[in-house]
Structure formats: C-alpha cells, structure tokens
Amino acid sequence: MNLLIITLVLILALVAHRFSDKFGLPSLLLFILLGMSFNLLGYNFSNYELSDKIAKVSLMIIMFYGGFGTNWNMAKPVSKPAIVLSSLGVVVTALLTGAFCYFVLKFDFYEAMLLGSVVGSTDFASVSSILVSKNLNLKYNTAPLLELESGSNDPAAYTMTMVFIALIAGNDISVPLMVLKQVIFGIVLGFIMGRVTMRIINLGRLQDDGLLVVLFAAIVFGSFSLAEILGGNGYLALYILGIYIGNKQFVGKRDIVFFFDGLSSLVQIGLFFLLGFLSDIGKLIGVLPTAFIIMLAMAILIRPITVFGLMLPFKLDKKQLGVISLAGLRGAAAIAFAILVVNSGVNLSIDIFHIVFGICLFSSFIQGSLMPIVTKKLDMLEPNDTILKTFNYYQDKSDIGFIQTRIPPGNKWIGKQIKELTHTFNIIVAKIEREGKTVVAKGNTVIKENDIVVLGGETHFDRSGHNLVEITLSKEHKWANKQVSQIPMGDKELIIMLQREDGEIIVPQGNTMLYPGDMVIIIKE
C-alpha cells in the first residue's frame, strides 16, 4: 500500500510540474501543496527524526550537484559578488531577520536569531526552477550570479543554525573557533576528496563495470561524514567537491550528469512534499500572519538592504540589484534546517517549523510569481539568449563538443571568411568572441586578429585511455625549461596538449616552452 502511495505522489508531482509550466506557478510550491493535500486526506505523519535524515540526505545531494553543475569559467566573472552574498549576505540577512523578530515581533533573542539563521540562505532549487521554467536569461551575467549565490550559501546558514542551537542548549562553545573549523575543514576536505575522486576515476575502469555511480555515492556520503567528524561543514565540503569534479572531464561524466539530474529532481520533490506532509493545518493557520510579516520584511526590507549594501563595491546596475533582491527565495535548506532544529530537542517558545513553512510558502508563491513580471518591467530580460542551454550543457549531455582558440597576430586565418575554413572537416564555427562581445559566425563572417573562435563538432573519448600518457614535470625533469622541438620523441608518439599550473590549456607548437609544473599529455600508438 505504501509503495502505491509513493507511486501516486510521483505521478501527481509530474502533473504538478506540467501544471506549473502551463499556468506559471512555481512547481516547488505545488509540491508543498501536494503534501498538504495528503495531510488533509488523513495521512498523518509527524516523524521528525526520520524527516531529519531524509532532509539531510536530500540537501547533501542538492548541494553536491549544485556545485557539480557549476561551470566555473562562466561563474568566474561573477564569483566575487556571488561569494560575498553567499557568505556575508547570509550573516547579514540572518542577523537583520533576527533583529526584526526580536524588536518588532518580541521573540526571545536567541530564538529570533535562530529563526533568522534557518531562513538566512536563498534556495538553489527554487531560484534555478524559476529561471529555467520561465526562461529568464538575465542581463549582466545575473543568472550565473544568482545560481552561484543560491547554490553556495546554505553552508553559511547551516553554520549559524548550529551556533544558535548550541547557545540555546546552553553548550559551552567558542563561536569563533566553531565557525573557523566549519569553514576551514569544509573547504580543505572538499578539495582533498575531489583530488582523491579524480585519482580513483583515472586509475580504475569503473565506467565499464557500471560502478561510477557507486563511487560518487560513496564519495558524497563519505565526504559529508568526515567533515562532521572533524567539526567541519559537510555541506560546504560537498559543494567544493562538486565544483572540483564537475569542472573536470572524465569517461562516464555524462552518465553521472543524467543520474544526478533525475536524483536531484526527485529529492527536491520529496523535500517539498515532506514539508507539506509534516505540517499541521491548524498550527499553520495560527502562525500564517507571523510568517507573512517576516517574509514581507525579508523581501522588501532585509534582502534589499543586504544586497544593495554589500554590492556597493562592485558597482552593479540598480536594475540588476533589484532583480537580485527579489530573487531571495527561501526553500529546501530552510526546510531541512527547521526540521533539524525540531529534532535537536532544544526547547523553544515559538513553533519554528510552521513559521518556516509559512515563510517558504509565501516566498515561493509571491516572489516566485513576481520574478518574470519584475524582470520584464526592469528591462532585465536578455531576449537573444536562453537560460536553458549553455555550451557546457551540450558537452555534458550529448556527443557535441566545443573547443576555443585565440587568433594571434600574423595567423593565416586572419582575413578569411568562415566558409573558407569549415569545408575540409566536419566542424562548425559556433561563435566568435570579439572585444568582449559575441559574434554569430555566418559563412561570410571575416575572422580578425585576437578573435576567440569557438569550434563545435562531435566529441571523441578514448574509453581505454591506453594511448595517452600524462606527465607532470618536476623542476628536475629533463624536459623542464626546454622547447617542444628539443624533446626527443619517437615516430609513434606526439605531445598533443599542455596544461599550465594556472589551468591554461595550450596546443603545443615546436617553439612552445615546457616549464616545471606543466602537465604534458602524450599520445602513443
């Protein structure tokens, strides 16, 4: 019977998703309402201990895949403001929300600060869902900024939540030391586990045996557990781990992308359904006015103050700041942290779960519904592009691949038309980046000096890897500080690629210098 109910829930979730696309309501809001409807039908559920475990695993998957799907090359131009918002932004939002609850709503001080911490982060699933479902490709790289912020700010909210839980419980802790351990161990462990994972992938033929997914599951759960044992932030470790691995290329990556695409969608549905399912309608109605006041204060006062204040050094456009302010949706993390608080056993005078429920409900419905309208009113919509597809999307999910090359002075391509270059091989010039602008490459488009030409074609992946040899040059290596032409190579081997220590990829020529720290890739027959 339970399996039939789960089947029904998943089918109804698919219907809700289609309904969302057709009528413009946020799909995650519909999942909450779906959970509430089962509650109203008499399927009572109040197991917070089980819910805490489900929410923790769900957030682990969401955090890891949020990092995994982050194209760092696209995110790098907006990384500084995004990181400020995802760290200091959460702290300021939490403290201001706590102050509002303390001074205006007369909450207990620590309880007010705990509530502010729980709802301090914006929700990646909600923000991404709105951007994609409404096809909101925003001007000034705003979409990558929002996705990077919302994908990386949950660890800060988690740390603050844990701090105030400990203070309310009366634990003797050093707050600065606790925060420092959370951040340092989280970041360091994320990078270490990323390197370990890539080493295992490169050494083993896991894709051939279908074990790559098993490895990733083990790494995700293991990284989170190790971080918690060390006193670090497990969610931060998973996000860093996801970014590290997601920006590497390896055999079977496409399978991992499809697997986590489906899994992250499933846990998002489950998490929002669980929120509705756990709710007590009577208690919810009782706190709705309080939840609405807090959400309103956060949306029209606290979030704008935080965004406009912290973004002053970056000189962002005011219309852009307006959209960023509105995009402060609350969702999955707030749900998980509210359940964590209830399950922690601390005595509270407020019903934090149902207040957070109401905040998420109002935030998803009001702010989520207003996003497309406000975006158009502020003229922030980029009509010539789409948020749905990027070059990275196709490389990860299809057999299409893209490479880029800069046209140096004196290159024989300068002055030639595109149609003169693409007849010989089955490739296409996908686009040209010229002086910071994108040029759509037509047949009669002329290539100029310093153009960055992006070529597209069918990718090749050597599944065996037996033909490739990878060497990282040490200071004492005999090839260090020599030109490629000076390296003695046999007739059946060739240096095909270099990667500098800073990550720069170089296609080697005879006069290309090899330096200590370079990774040299050689192909052999």
Side-chain angles (χ1 to χ4, degrees):
M1 186 65 179
N2 290 336
L3 290 177
L4 287 175
I5 293 174
I6 293 173
T7 302
L8 179 61
V9 169
L10 293 176
I11 292 174
L12 290 175
L14 293 175
V15 174
H17 185 74
R18 293 298 182 191
F19 186 87
S20 167
D21 289 341
K22 185 174 182 180
F23 295 101
L25 289 173
S27 59
L28 299 179
L29 171 64
L30 296 179
F31 301 149
I32 292 177
L33 297 177
L34 183 61
M36 292 176 66
S37 67
F38 271 74
N39 191 311
L40 290 172
L41 290 173
Y43 293 95
N44 296 320
F45 180 76
S46 57
N47 190 333
Y48 281 92
E49 186 175 349
L50 175 61
S51 300
D52 183 34
K53 293 176 181 177
I54 294 173
K56 180 180 288 187
V57 171
S58 299
L59 196 56
M60 286 164 57
I61 293 168
I62 292 171
M63 285 299 302
F64 170 76
Y65 194 53
F68 191 88
T70 299
N71 183 334
W72 187 245
N73 287 330
M74 293 178 64
K76 194 182 295 184
V78 296
S79 60
K80 290 181 180 178
I83 291 172
V84 168
L85 284 176
S86 67
S87 53
L88 289 178
V90 172
V91 174
V92 173
T93 299
L95 295 179
L96 289 178
T97 303
F100 176 83
C101 292
Y102 176 68
F103 288 107
V104 178
L105 301 179
K106 306 303 180 182
F107 285 9
D108 173 81
F109 178 76
Y110 282 137
E111 292 182 4
M113 291 301 165
L114 177 60
L115 177 62
S117 301
V118 168
V119 295
S121 62
T122 57
D123 181 56
F124 174 79
S126 299
V127 172
S128 181
S129 174
I130 293 294
L131 292 177
V132 173
S133 65
K134 308 308 171 194
N135 195 21
L136 300 180
N137 192 62
L138 306 173
K139 294 180 179 178
Y140 315 127
N141 281 333
T142 307
L145 191 156
L146 285 174
E147 291 200 7
L148 185 59
E149 179 216 357
S150 61
S152 61
N153 62 7
D154 294 341
Y158 174 75
T159 296
M160 293 195 68
T161 299
M162 295 302 293
V163 166
F164 283 105
I165 285 177
L167 291 174
I168 292 173
N171 296 339
D172 185 19
I173 63 167
S174 168
V175 173
L177 179 61
M178 182 178 178
V179 172
L180 202 62
K181 286 176 64 178
Q182 287 261 313
V183 174
I184 292 177
F185 284 132
I187 292 174
V188 171
L189 187 66
F191 276 114
I192 290 175
M193 294 304 290
R195 292 182 67 88
V196 169
T197 304
M198 291 308 302
R199 180 70 65 179
I200 295 172
I201 291 173
N202 292 331
L203 289 176
R205 298 176 60 181
L206 299 175
Q207 175 59 24
D208 294 342
D209 298 323
L211 297 177
L212 199 56
V213 170
V214 178
L215 170 66
F216 272 75
I219 291 295
V220 167
F221 293 133
S223 299
F224 185 87
S225 299
L226 280 174
E228 287 207 321
I229 290 171
L230 294 172
N233 192 313
Y235 296 115
L236 179 58
L238 289 181
Y239 189 73
I240 298 297
L241 170 68
I243 288 181
Y244 187 93
I245 301 175
N247 285 272
K248 301 288 186 181
Q249 294 300 323
F250 53 88
V251 176
K253 183 179 181 181
R254 194 176 307 143
D255 296 336
I256 295 297
V257 169
F258 282 120
F259 173 78
F260 275 100
D261 254 356
L263 185 59
S264 62
S265 296
L266 181 63
V267 297
Q268 287 170 27
I269 292 172
L271 199 51
F272 280 82
F273 176 84
L274 183 64
L275 175 61
F277 202 22
L278 272 173
S279 65
D280 182 302
I281 303 302
K283 293 180 179 178
L284 175 63
I285 293 173
V287 301
L288 277 182
T290 300
F292 180 74
I293 291 171
I294 295 173
M295 187 282 301
L296 206 59
M298 294 183 74
I300 66 176
L301 185 65
I302 295 169
R303 172 74 174 178
I305 288 175
T306 302
V307 170
F308 277 81
L310 292 179
M311 293 297 99
L312 274 177
F314 301 102
K315 297 180 171 54
L316 302 184
D317 187 272
K318 289 183 179 179
K319 294 185 294 183
Q320 182 183 17
L321 293 174
V323 171
I324 295 172
S325 298
L326 182 62
L329 279 71
R330 315 294 148 174
I335 298 166
F337 299 155
I339 295 173
L340 170 68
V341 172
V342 174
N343 201 49
S344 70
V346 294
N347 293 318
L348 302 176
S349 62
I350 59 172
D351 185 354
I352 194 167
F353 174 78
H354 285 94
I355 292 174
V356 170
F357 181 105
I359 292 171
C360 292
L361 201 65
F362 286 125
S363 176
S364 183
F365 179 69
I366 297 174
Q367 292 175 265
S369 299
L370 286 176
M371 275 287 290
I373 300 171
V374 173
T375 297
K376 292 176 183 177
K377 287 288 185 182
L378 292 178
D379 191 29
M380 276 291 293
L381 188 64
E382 180 58 67
N384 297 321
D385 207 350
T386 171
I387 194 68
L388 296 177
K389 303 291 181 285
T390 67
F391 283 96
N392 190 58
Y393 173 95
Y394 288 105
Q395 293 189 135
D396 286 344
K397 295 193 176 183
S398 72
D399 291 323
I400 301 172
F402 298 93
I403 60 172
Q404 70 177 36
T405 183
R406 182 180 292 275
I407 307 300
N411 189 277
K412 62 182 180 181
W413 282 22
I414 296 174
K416 292 186 179 294
Q417 294 183 337
I418 296 296
K419 60 187 177 184
E420 298 179 63
L421 308 175
T422 57
H423 292 312
T424 306
F425 299 103
N426 186 28
I427 60 171
I428 188 171
V429 177
K431 69 172 182 176
I432 296 173
E433 293 182 2
R434 179 178 295 162
E435 298 177 353
K437 297 181 179 180
T438 297
V439 176
V440 178
K442 301 291 183 66
N444 59 355
T445 301
V446 176
I447 295 177
K448 297 183 179 181
E449 183 179 309
N450 291 322
D451 280 352
I452 297 177
V453 180
V454 179
L455 303 172
E458 184 178 1
T459 59
H460 168 75
F461 225 118
D462 178 13
R463 291 196 170 271
S464 68
H466 294 159
N467 303 109
L468 296 178
V469 177
E470 178 185 302
I471 301 173
T472 300
L473 304 185
S474 64
K475 292 181 180 179
E476 296 78 20
H477 198 282
K478 60 183 179 181
W479 292 0
N481 300 308
K482 290 186 177 180
Q483 293 184 346
V484 170
S485 60
Q486 297 174 299
I487 307 301
M489 304 291 290
D491 293 336
K492 297 184 178 181
E493 55 186 5
L494 178 68
I495 297 176
I496 59 172
M497 197 72 65
L498 303 176
Q499 184 172 14
R500 302 290 191 203
E501 283 191 290
D502 61 2
E504 181 186 6
I505 302 294
I506 297 175
V507 178
Q509 306 293 326
N511 60 353
T512 301
M513 290 292 297
L514 303 180
Y515 299 109
D518 284 353
M519 183 176 70
V520 182
I521 300 174
I522 304 166
I523 188 169
K524 296 184 176 183
E525 288 187 17

